[in-house]
Amino acid sequence: MSAFLQQLPALLGVVIGALGSYLAVVRSDRARFDRETAARWEERRLAVYADYARTVKTSVTLTYRIAAHLGNDPHPHPVAPVDAAPAQAEAALARDPAGEALLLLGSRDVVEKARVWVVAVMEMERFLREEAHDPAAWRALLEGQRAAREGYYTAVREDLALPPGHGARWPLPPVSGSR
């Protein structure tokens, strides 16, 4: 028994060392799993944010083209409202699932900024349904949409801890008289 008692400290050291190693490996694996999970969700959020922006931007581009046909915008590829109607309907339908994904995965701030942006786009669409020829009113709607888009992208960058990006504010040529 005395030989056992002499080796007991060494045996306890081995057991404690093995337990410590096990706990360190478990903790390390858990931390790696948490980092990988966070990175996967961040990638998914980025994909949802980009998809939503793409669907809204499709609607925006269509409004530019229709506004150009009505003489309100300098877009180089005007399209008549009747010709754009199917594409507008498709773009509006695409916004719904993209918006639902955004509601599911987006932060509160991003979702709120997305709402502001899409409301600005819907105001542009309403203006065009009236087929008004008012370049000044169109420019005000356009500026509101651009500010809302910039707010959306800023919120996305903050949510994903990305550095500040470009505000995408380029000077536009003045709108000439009706075409």
Side-chain angles (χ1 to χ4, degrees):
M1 198 53 142
S2 68
F4 176 74
L5 289 177
Q6 287 176 350
Q7 293 180 1
L8 186 60
L11 183 60
L12 285 175
V14 168
V15 169
I16 290 171
L19 184 60
S21 292
Y22 172 76
L23 291 175
V25 167
V26 167
R27 179 181 243 178
S28 172
D29 284 350
R30 181 62 189 184
R32 184 170 34 101
F33 175 78
D34 290 344
R35 280 191 310 274
E36 289 171 357
T37 300
R40 275 194 304 273
W41 280 112
E42 192 168 288
E43 287 172 14
R44 287 180 180 153
R45 280 198 329 270
L46 176 60
V48 164
Y49 292 165
D51 186 48
Y52 183 77
R54 194 173 18 264
T55 60
V56 173
K57 187 61 178 167
T58 299
S59 294
V60 169
T61 301
L62 285 167
T63 64
Y64 291 169
R65 295 183 67 198
I66 296 167
H69 175 80
L70 298 173
N72 293 316
D73 193 274
H75 195 283
H77 305 288
V79 65
V82 68
D83 295 335
Q88 272 190 304
E90 188 177 315
L93 286 173
R95 281 194 317 236
D96 285 341
E100 291 300 318
L102 183 74
L103 288 172
L104 181 64
L105 294 178
S107 71
R108 287 185 183 272
D109 191 40
V110 170
V111 170
E112 176 57 25
K113 299 298 183 183
R115 184 195 64 76
V116 170
W117 187 19
V118 80
V119 166
V121 172
M122 291 166 63
E123 289 173 4
M124 292 167 68
E125 292 169 338
R126 180 196 48 75
F127 176 85
L128 295 174
R129 278 192 300 275
E130 296 170 358
E131 295 194 19
H133 176 73
D134 187 349
W138 174 252
R139 183 158 303 273
L141 288 169
L142 194 60
E143 286 304 314
Q145 181 274 142
R146 287 185 176 139
R149 181 184 64 177
E150 188 174 350
Y152 173 76
Y153 284 123
T154 298
V156 165
R157 286 186 201 101
E158 287 174 5
D159 184 45
L160 298 176
L162 299 173
H166 191 280
R169 291 210 168 241
W170 297 307
L172 296 176
V175 177
S176 59
S178 64
R179 295 179 184 197

